[in-house]
Amino acid sequence: MKQVFNVQGMTCGHCEKSVTTAIRLLDPQAQVQIDRSQNHVEVESTQTREALAEAIREEGYQVAA
Ligand SMILES: [Cu+2]
């Protein structure tokens, strides 16, 4: 299932990697696409929206509701 998140605080490629890694720890099969200029994170995953958002928050980024 594809989910789109608005994620604040990604300033460079390293941030994108951190977010991607956090999601993949939760779901190794997850497909992650990030457009940081738009704060846009698209995730194809079997995990719940809440679990994915929590993983991103734990990396230190804000996820809009
Ligand atoms: Cu960064």
Coordinates of all heavy atoms in Angstrom, one line a residue:
M1 N 0.8 -1.2 0.0 CA 0.0 0.0 0.0 C 0.9 1.2 0.0 O 1.9 1.3 0.7 CB -0.9 -0.1 1.3 CG -1.6 1.2 1.6 SD -2.7 1.0 3.0 CE -3.6 2.5 2.9
K2 N 0.5 2.2 -0.8 CA 1.3 3.4 -0.9 C 0.9 4.5 0.0 O -0.3 4.8 0.1 CB 1.3 3.9 -2.4 CG 2.3 5.0 -2.7 CD 2.3 5.4 -4.1 CE 3.1 4.5 -5.0 NZ 3.1 5.0 -6.4
Q3 N 1.8 5.1 0.7 CA 1.4 6.1 1.6 C 2.4 7.3 1.4 O 3.5 7.2 1.1 CB 1.6 5.7 3.1 CG 1.0 4.3 3.3 CD 0.5 4.1 4.7 OE1 -0.2 4.9 5.2 NE2 0.8 3.0 5.2
V4 N 1.8 8.5 1.5 CA 2.6 9.7 1.3 C 2.6 10.5 2.6 O 1.6 10.7 3.3 CB 1.9 10.6 0.2 CG1 2.6 12.0 0.1 CG2 2.0 9.9 -1.1
F5 N 3.9 10.9 3.0 CA 4.1 11.7 4.2 C 4.7 13.0 3.9 O 5.5 13.1 3.0 CB 5.0 10.9 5.1 CG 4.5 9.6 5.6 CD1 4.8 8.5 4.9 CD2 3.8 9.5 6.7 CE1 4.4 7.2 5.3 CE2 3.3 8.2 7.1 CZ 3.6 7.1 6.4
N6 N 4.3 14.0 4.7 CA 5.0 15.3 4.6 C 6.0 15.3 5.8 O 5.6 15.3 6.9 CB 3.9 16.4 4.8 CG 4.6 17.8 4.6 OD1 5.2 18.3 5.6 ND2 4.5 18.4 3.5
V7 N 7.2 15.3 5.4 CA 8.3 15.2 6.4 C 9.2 16.5 6.4 O 9.7 16.8 5.4 CB 9.2 14.0 6.2 CG1 10.3 13.9 7.2 CG2 8.4 12.7 6.2
Q8 N 9.2 17.1 7.6 CA 10.0 18.4 7.7 C 11.4 18.1 8.3 O 11.5 17.2 9.1 CB 9.3 19.3 8.7 CG 7.8 19.5 8.5 CD 7.5 20.4 7.3 OE1 8.3 21.4 7.1 NE2 6.4 20.2 6.7
G9 N 12.4 18.8 7.8 CA 13.7 18.7 8.4 C 14.7 18.0 7.6 O 15.9 17.9 8.0
M10 N 14.4 17.5 6.4 CA 15.4 16.8 5.6 C 16.1 17.9 4.8 O 15.5 18.6 4.0 CB 14.7 15.8 4.6 CG 14.0 14.7 5.3 SD 13.3 13.5 4.1 CE 12.1 14.5 3.3
T11 N 17.4 18.0 5.1 CA 18.2 19.1 4.5 C 19.2 18.7 3.5 O 19.8 19.5 2.7 CB 18.9 20.0 5.6 OG1 19.7 19.1 6.4 CG2 17.9 20.7 6.4
C12 N 19.5 17.4 3.5 CA 20.5 16.9 2.5 C 20.3 15.4 2.2 O 19.4 14.8 2.7 CB 21.9 17.1 3.1 SG 22.3 16.1 4.6
G13 N 21.2 14.9 1.4 CA 21.1 13.5 1.0 C 21.2 12.5 2.1 O 20.6 11.5 2.2
H14 N 22.0 13.0 3.1 CA 22.2 12.1 4.3 C 20.8 12.0 5.1 O 20.5 10.9 5.5 CB 23.2 12.7 5.2 CG 23.4 11.9 6.5 ND1 22.8 12.3 7.7 CD2 24.0 10.8 6.8 CE1 23.1 11.4 8.6 NE2 23.8 10.4 8.1
C15 N 20.1 13.0 5.1 CA 18.8 13.0 5.8 C 17.9 12.0 5.0 O 17.1 11.2 5.6 CB 18.1 14.4 5.8 SG 19.0 15.6 6.7
E16 N 17.9 12.1 3.7 CA 17.1 11.2 2.9 C 17.5 9.7 3.2 O 16.6 8.8 3.3 CB 17.3 11.4 1.4 CG 16.7 12.7 1.0 CD 16.8 12.9 -0.5 OE1 17.2 12.0 -1.2 OE2 16.6 14.0 -1.0
K17 N 18.8 9.5 3.3 CA 19.2 8.1 3.6 C 18.8 7.7 5.0 O 18.4 6.5 5.2 CB 20.8 8.1 3.6 CG 21.3 7.8 2.2 CD 22.6 6.9 2.3 CE 23.1 6.6 0.9 NZ 23.8 7.8 0.3
S18 N 18.8 8.6 6.0 CA 18.4 8.3 7.3 C 17.0 7.8 7.4 O 16.6 6.9 8.0 CB 18.6 9.5 8.3 OG 19.9 9.8 8.3
V19 N 16.1 8.6 6.7 CA 14.7 8.3 6.6 C 14.5 7.0 5.9 O 13.7 6.1 6.4 CB 13.9 9.4 5.9 CG1 12.5 9.0 5.6 CG2 14.0 10.7 6.8
T20 N 15.2 6.8 4.8 CA 15.0 5.5 4.1 C 15.4 4.3 4.9 O 14.7 3.3 5.0 CB 15.9 5.5 2.8 OG1 15.4 6.7 2.0 CG2 15.7 4.3 2.0
T21 N 16.6 4.5 5.6 CA 17.1 3.4 6.4 C 16.1 3.0 7.6 O 15.9 1.9 7.9 CB 18.5 3.8 7.0 OG1 19.3 4.0 5.9 CG2 19.0 2.6 7.9
A22 N 15.6 4.1 8.2 CA 14.6 3.9 9.3 C 13.4 3.1 8.8 O 12.9 2.2 9.5 CB 14.2 5.2 9.9
I23 N 12.9 3.4 7.6 CA 11.7 2.7 7.1 C 12.1 1.3 6.7 O 11.3 0.3 7.0 CB 11.2 3.5 5.8 CG1 10.6 4.8 6.3 CG2 10.2 2.6 5.1 CD1 10.3 5.8 5.2
R24 N 13.3 1.1 6.2 CA 13.7 -0.3 5.8 C 14.0 -1.2 7.0 O 13.9 -2.4 6.9 CB 15.0 -0.2 4.9 CG 14.7 0.4 3.5 CD 14.8 -0.6 2.4 NE 14.2 -0.1 1.2 CZ 15.0 0.6 0.3 NH1 16.2 0.9 0.6 NH2 14.4 1.0 -0.8
L25 N 14.3 -0.6 8.1 CA 14.5 -1.4 9.3 C 13.2 -2.0 9.7 O 13.1 -3.1 10.2 CB 15.1 -0.5 10.5 CG 16.6 -0.4 10.6 CD1 16.9 0.6 11.6 CD2 17.2 -1.7 10.8
L26 N 12.2 -1.2 9.5 CA 10.8 -1.6 9.9 C 10.3 -2.6 8.8 O 9.6 -3.6 9.2 CB 9.9 -0.4 9.9 CG 8.6 -0.4 10.6 CD1 8.8 -0.7 12.0 CD2 7.8 0.9 10.3
D27 N 10.6 -2.3 7.6 CA 10.1 -3.2 6.5 C 11.2 -3.2 5.4 O 11.3 -2.3 4.6 CB 8.8 -2.6 5.9 CG 8.3 -3.4 4.7 OD1 8.9 -4.4 4.3 OD2 7.3 -2.9 4.1
P28 N 11.9 -4.3 5.4 CA 13.1 -4.4 4.4 C 12.6 -4.4 3.0 O 13.4 -4.1 2.1 CB 13.7 -5.8 4.8 CG 13.3 -6.1 6.2 CD 11.9 -5.4 6.3
Q29 N 11.3 -4.7 2.7 CA 10.8 -4.7 1.4 C 10.3 -3.4 0.9 O 9.8 -3.2 -0.2 CB 9.6 -5.7 1.2 CG 9.9 -7.1 1.8 CD 10.9 -7.9 1.1 OE1 11.1 -7.7 -0.1 NE2 11.7 -8.7 1.8
A30 N 10.3 -2.4 1.8 CA 9.6 -1.1 1.5 C 10.3 -0.4 0.3 O 11.5 -0.5 0.2 CB 9.7 -0.2 2.7
Q31 N 9.5 0.2 -0.5 CA 10.0 1.1 -1.6 C 9.8 2.5 -1.1 O 8.7 2.9 -0.7 CB 9.1 0.9 -2.8 CG 9.1 -0.5 -3.4 CD 10.5 -1.0 -3.9 OE1 11.2 -0.2 -4.6 NE2 10.9 -2.2 -3.5
V32 N 10.9 3.3 -1.1 CA 10.8 4.6 -0.6 C 11.3 5.6 -1.7 O 12.3 5.4 -2.3 CB 11.8 4.8 0.6 CG1 11.7 6.1 1.2 CG2 11.5 3.7 1.7
Q33 N 10.5 6.6 -1.9 CA 10.8 7.7 -2.8 C 10.7 9.0 -2.1 O 9.7 9.3 -1.5 CB 9.9 7.7 -4.0 CG 10.3 6.6 -5.0 CD 9.6 6.8 -6.3 OE1 8.4 6.9 -6.4 NE2 10.4 6.9 -7.4
I34 N 11.8 9.8 -2.2 CA 11.8 11.1 -1.4 C 12.1 12.2 -2.4 O 13.0 12.2 -3.2 CB 12.9 11.0 -0.3 CG1 12.5 9.9 0.7 CG2 13.0 12.4 0.4 CD1 13.6 9.7 1.8
D35 N 11.3 13.3 -2.2 CA 11.6 14.5 -2.9 C 11.7 15.6 -1.8 O 10.7 16.1 -1.3 CB 10.5 14.9 -3.9 CG 10.7 16.2 -4.6 OD1 11.7 16.9 -4.2 OD2 10.0 16.6 -5.5
R36 N 13.0 15.8 -1.3 CA 13.1 16.6 -0.1 C 12.8 18.1 -0.4 O 12.4 18.8 0.6 CB 14.4 16.4 0.5 CG 15.6 17.2 0.0 CD 16.8 17.0 0.8 NE 18.0 17.6 0.2 CZ 18.7 17.0 -0.7 NH1 18.5 15.8 -1.0 NH2 19.7 17.6 -1.2
S37 N 12.9 18.6 -1.6 CA 12.5 20.0 -1.9 C 11.0 20.2 -1.6 O 10.6 21.3 -1.4 CB 12.9 20.3 -3.3 OG 12.1 19.6 -4.2
Q38 N 10.2 19.1 -1.7 CA 8.8 19.2 -1.4 C 8.4 18.6 -0.1 O 7.2 18.4 0.2 CB 8.0 18.4 -2.5 CG 8.3 18.8 -3.9 CD 7.8 20.2 -4.3 OE1 6.7 20.6 -3.8 NE2 8.6 21.0 -4.9
N39 N 9.4 18.2 0.7 CA 9.2 17.5 2.0 C 8.3 16.2 1.8 O 7.5 15.8 2.6 CB 8.5 18.4 3.0 CG 9.3 19.5 3.4 OD1 10.5 19.4 3.5 ND2 8.7 20.7 3.7
H40 N 8.5 15.6 0.6 CA 7.6 14.6 0.2 C 8.3 13.2 0.3 O 9.4 13.0 -0.2 CB 7.3 14.8 -1.3 CG 6.3 13.9 -1.9 ND1 5.0 14.2 -2.0 CD2 6.5 12.7 -2.5 CE1 4.3 13.2 -2.6 NE2 5.2 12.3 -2.9
V41 N 7.7 12.3 1.1 CA 8.2 11.0 1.3 C 7.1 10.0 0.9 O 6.0 10.0 1.5 CB 8.7 10.7 2.7 CG1 9.1 9.2 2.9 CG2 9.8 11.6 3.1
E42 N 7.3 9.2 -0.1 CA 6.4 8.2 -0.6 C 6.9 6.8 -0.2 O 8.0 6.5 -0.5 CB 6.2 8.3 -2.1 CG 4.9 7.9 -2.7 CD 4.9 8.3 -4.1 OE1 4.6 9.5 -4.4 OE2 5.2 7.4 -5.0
V43 N 6.0 6.0 0.4 CA 6.4 4.7 0.9 C 5.4 3.7 0.4 O 4.2 3.8 0.7 CB 6.5 4.7 2.5 CG1 7.0 3.3 2.9 CG2 7.4 5.8 3.0
E44 N 6.0 2.6 -0.2 CA 5.1 1.5 -0.6 C 5.5 0.4 0.5 O 6.7 -0.1 0.5 CB 5.5 1.1 -2.0 CG 4.8 -0.2 -2.5 CD 3.4 0.1 -3.0 OE1 3.3 1.1 -3.8 OE2 2.5 -0.6 -2.7
S45 N 4.6 0.0 1.3 CA 4.9 -0.9 2.4 C 3.7 -1.5 3.0 O 2.6 -1.0 2.8 CB 5.6 -0.1 3.6 OG 5.8 -0.9 4.7
T46 N 3.9 -2.7 3.6 CA 2.8 -3.3 4.3 C 2.6 -2.8 5.7 O 1.6 -3.2 6.4 CB 3.1 -4.9 4.4 OG1 4.3 -5.0 5.0 CG2 3.1 -5.5 3.0
Q47 N 3.5 -2.0 6.2 CA 3.4 -1.4 7.5 C 2.3 -0.4 7.6 O 2.0 0.3 6.6 CB 4.7 -0.8 8.0 CG 5.8 -1.8 8.1 CD 5.7 -2.7 9.3 OE1 5.3 -2.2 10.4 NE2 5.8 -4.0 9.1
T48 N 1.8 -0.2 8.9 CA 0.8 0.8 9.0 C 1.3 2.2 8.9 O 2.5 2.4 9.1 CB 0.1 0.7 10.4 OG1 1.1 1.0 11.4 CG2 -0.5 -0.7 10.7
R49 N 0.5 3.2 8.6 CA 0.9 4.5 8.5 C 1.5 5.0 9.8 O 2.5 5.7 9.8 CB -0.4 5.4 8.2 CG 0.0 6.8 8.0 CD -1.2 7.6 7.4 NE -0.7 9.0 7.2 CZ -0.1 9.4 6.1 NH1 0.1 8.5 5.1 NH2 0.4 10.6 6.0
E50 N 0.9 4.6 10.9 CA 1.4 5.1 12.2 C 2.8 4.6 12.5 O 3.7 5.3 13.0 CB 0.4 4.6 13.3 CG 0.2 5.6 14.5 CD 0.7 7.0 14.2 OE1 0.0 7.8 13.5 OE2 1.8 7.4 14.7
A51 N 3.0 3.3 12.2 CA 4.3 2.7 12.4 C 5.4 3.4 11.6 O 6.5 3.6 12.0 CB 4.3 1.2 12.1
L52 N 5.1 3.7 10.3 CA 6.0 4.3 9.4 C 6.3 5.7 9.9 O 7.5 6.1 10.0 CB 5.4 4.4 8.0 CG 5.3 3.0 7.3 CD1 4.4 3.1 6.1 CD2 6.7 2.4 6.9
A53 N 5.3 6.5 10.3 CA 5.5 7.8 10.8 C 6.3 7.8 12.1 O 7.2 8.7 12.2 CB 4.1 8.5 11.1
E54 N 6.1 6.9 12.9 CA 6.9 6.8 14.2 C 8.4 6.5 13.9 O 9.3 7.1 14.5 CB 6.3 5.6 15.0 CG 6.8 5.6 16.4 CD 6.6 6.9 17.2 OE1 5.6 7.6 17.0 OE2 7.5 7.2 18.0
A55 N 8.6 5.6 12.9 CA 10.0 5.3 12.5 C 10.7 6.6 12.0 O 11.9 6.8 12.3 CB 10.1 4.2 11.5
I56 N 10.0 7.4 11.2 CA 10.6 8.6 10.7 C 10.8 9.6 11.9 O 11.9 10.3 11.9 CB 9.7 9.2 9.6 CG1 9.5 8.3 8.4 CG2 10.2 10.6 9.2 CD1 8.5 8.7 7.4
R57 N 9.9 9.7 12.8 CA 10.0 10.6 13.9 C 11.2 10.3 14.8 O 11.9 11.1 15.3 CB 8.7 10.6 14.7 CG 7.6 11.3 14.1 CD 6.4 11.6 15.0 NE 5.3 12.2 14.3 CZ 4.2 11.5 14.0 NH1 4.1 10.3 14.4 NH2 3.2 12.1 13.3
E58 N 11.4 9.0 15.0 CA 12.5 8.5 15.8 C 13.8 8.9 15.2 O 14.8 9.0 16.0 CB 12.4 7.0 16.0 CG 11.4 6.6 17.1 CD 11.2 5.1 17.3 OE1 11.9 4.4 16.6 OE2 10.3 4.8 18.0
E59 N 13.9 9.1 13.9 CA 15.1 9.6 13.3 C 15.3 11.1 13.5 O 16.4 11.7 13.2 CB 15.1 9.3 11.8 CG 15.4 7.9 11.4 CD 16.8 7.5 12.0 OE1 17.8 8.1 11.7 OE2 16.8 6.4 12.7
G60 N 14.3 11.8 14.1 CA 14.4 13.2 14.4 C 13.8 14.1 13.4 O 14.1 15.3 13.4
Y61 N 12.9 13.6 12.6 CA 12.2 14.4 11.6 C 10.7 14.6 11.9 O 10.2 13.6 12.5 CB 12.4 13.9 10.2 CG 13.8 13.7 9.8 CD1 14.4 12.5 9.9 CD2 14.6 14.8 9.4 CE1 15.8 12.4 9.6 CE2 15.9 14.7 9.1 CZ 16.5 13.5 9.2 OH 17.8 13.3 8.9
Q62 N 10.2 15.7 11.6 CA 8.7 15.9 11.9 C 7.9 15.4 10.8 O 8.1 15.7 9.6 CB 8.5 17.4 12.1 CG 8.6 17.9 13.5 CD 9.8 18.8 13.7 OE1 10.0 19.7 12.9 NE2 10.7 18.4 14.6
V63 N 6.9 14.7 11.2 CA 5.9 14.1 10.2 C 4.6 14.8 10.4 O 4.0 14.8 11.5 CB 5.7 12.6 10.3 CG1 4.8 12.1 9.3 CG2 7.1 11.9 10.3
A64 N 4.1 15.5 9.4 CA 2.8 16.2 9.5 C 1.7 15.2 9.5 O 1.9 14.1 8.9 CB 2.6 17.2 8.3
A65 N 0.6 15.5 10.1 CA -0.5 14.5 10.3 C -1.1 14.1 8.9 O -1.0 14.8 7.9 CB -1.6 15.1 11.1
Ligands
CU1 CU 20.9 15.9 6.1

